[in-house]
């Protein structure tokens, strides 16, 4: 069984760039199934990524190379700069690139605690529906080969696509742990559709998710009676 810690918050030649095909030319069947071209940009014009250093100080490596060279258990960091479906909070567009640049100096920590890890780049998919399918595809590829996919994204809805890919690739059951002052279950004042305020309800109803654990819940909404005694759901309250 797999313990998946999902944080919604991923050696090529110097300045390597993987160009994105025109999404209008992708077949509709491929987009529906999530079998999309896996396309990253790995180049930053002003950051350590130009020198092969990525998320958390990891070496930058194309996905196809990691699949061929890395051992099971290795961590594959990848990012997404597109908001999937935000209904609450301030936009974090391009958050992955920002974190990628700022965390590159973590190399000493990474070498001690996370030696087998790689930066695959930042996904360049647009629009949001295609970006979500891209996340799922990459996560499925990594999980299916015994790697640990680590997504750095913008709004929390990206976690749903990430988890779906892990479940698709691994075939295991998982526990979903997330850090948030809110539960994001959406049982109070529901807004139509799946968004960053209710996506955890979808996670809770996934058959192979055996537990959903919130860490840090402290907003006034978390005390509503509707959230008491939910099957599979628990909370470690915040201060």
């Amino acid at each position: 069984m797999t313990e998946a810690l999902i944080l919604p918050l991923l050696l090529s030649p110097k300045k390597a760039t993987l160009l994105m095909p025109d999404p209008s030319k992708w077949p509709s069947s491929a987009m529906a199934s999530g079998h999309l071209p896996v396309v990253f940009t790995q180049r930053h014009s002003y950051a350590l990524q130009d020198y092969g250093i990525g998320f958390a100080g990891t070496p930058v490596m194309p996905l196809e190379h990691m699949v061929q060279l890395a051992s099971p258990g290795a961590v594959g960091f990848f990012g997404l700069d597109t908001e999937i479906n935000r209904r609450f909070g301030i936009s974090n567009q391009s958050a992955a690139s920002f974190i990628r640049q700022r965390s590159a100096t973590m190399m000493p920590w990474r070498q001690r605690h996370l030696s087998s890890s790689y930066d695959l780049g930042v996904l360049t998919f647009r629009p949001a529906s295609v970006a979500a399918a891209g996340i799922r595809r990459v996560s499925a590829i990594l999980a299916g080969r015994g790697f640990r996919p680590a997504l750095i994204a913008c709004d929390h809805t990206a976690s749903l696509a990430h988890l779906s890919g892990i479940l698709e690739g691994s075939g295991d059951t998982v526990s979903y742990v997330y850090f948030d002052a809110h539960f994001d279950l959406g049982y109070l004042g529901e807004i139509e559709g799946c968004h960053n305020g209710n996506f955890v309800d979808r996670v809770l109803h996934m058959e192979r998710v055996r537990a959903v654990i919130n860490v840090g819940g402290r907003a006034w909404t978390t005390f509503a009676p509707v959230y008491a005694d939910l099957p599979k759901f628990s909370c470690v309250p915040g201060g």
Side-chain angles (χ1 to χ4, degrees):
M1 294 188 294
T2 300
E3 293 288 346
L5 175 61
I6 314 297
L7 304 178
L9 303 176
L10 245 140
L11 265 277
S12 63
K14 182 178 176 180
K15 297 189 178 181
T17 301
L18 292 159
L19 299 178
M20 177 181 178
D22 181 358
S24 66
K25 297 179 181 179
W26 296 346
S28 57
S29 59
M31 292 209 288
S33 66
H35 294 292
L36 303 177
V38 176
V39 185
F40 295 93
T41 175
Q42 294 185 304
R43 182 181 184 276
H44 283 208
S45 60
Y46 57 90
L48 291 173
Q49 285 74 35
D50 289 348
Y51 302 92
I53 304 170
F55 286 114
T58 56
V60 176
M61 175 179 286
L63 175 62
E64 60 270 25
H65 291 182
M66 181 178 177
V67 168
Q68 294 170 4
L69 303 175
S71 300
V75 175
F77 286 95
F78 66 103
L80 176 74
D81 278 340
T82 304
E83 295 266 349
I84 299 295
N85 196 9
R86 179 181 294 279
R87 288 293 184 271
F88 302 96
I90 300 172
S91 173
N92 289 321
Q93 195 82 7
S94 300
S97 291
F98 176 83
I99 293 173
R100 191 179 190 224
Q101 179 194 1
R102 296 302 179 93
S103 69
T105 56
M106 292 174 62
M107 185 188 297
W109 176 90
R110 192 272 305 170
Q111 289 177 338
R112 289 195 302 271
H113 302 289
L114 205 64
S115 58
S116 184
S117 55
Y118 305 94
D119 175 306
L120 306 177
V122 178
L123 284 168
T124 58
F125 290 123
R126 299 287 194 280
S129 59
V130 178
I135 291 172
R136 177 169 180 164
R137 180 62 177 152
V138 175
S139 299
I141 290 171
L142 293 173
R145 287 160 176 77
F147 302 138
R148 292 180 287 169
L151 172 67
I152 310 298
C154 302
D155 73 288
H156 301 344
T157 322
S159 296
L160 186 60
H162 187 39
L163 178 59
S164 297
I166 291 172
L167 292 172
E168 176 185 330
S170 70
D172 289 337
T173 59
V174 304
S175 294
Y176 181 86
V177 183
Y178 67 112
F179 297 79
D180 202 309
H182 308 88
F183 288 162
D184 292 341
L185 285 161
Y187 298 169
L188 295 175
E190 176 69 23
I191 297 176
E192 184 179 356
C194 180
H195 51 77
N196 71 318
N198 67 7
F199 76 97
V200 177
D201 177 62
R202 274 65 172 181
V203 175
L204 198 60
H205 287 88
M206 288 180 171
E207 184 178 350
R208 288 194 285 123
V209 174
R210 63 177 178 271
V212 174
I213 305 166
N214 169 273
V215 178
R218 60 187 180 276
W220 70 268
T221 54
T222 63
F223 295 90
V226 70
Y227 294 127
D229 301 322
L230 291 176
K232 298 200 304 184
F233 182 82
S234 61
C235 172
V236 180

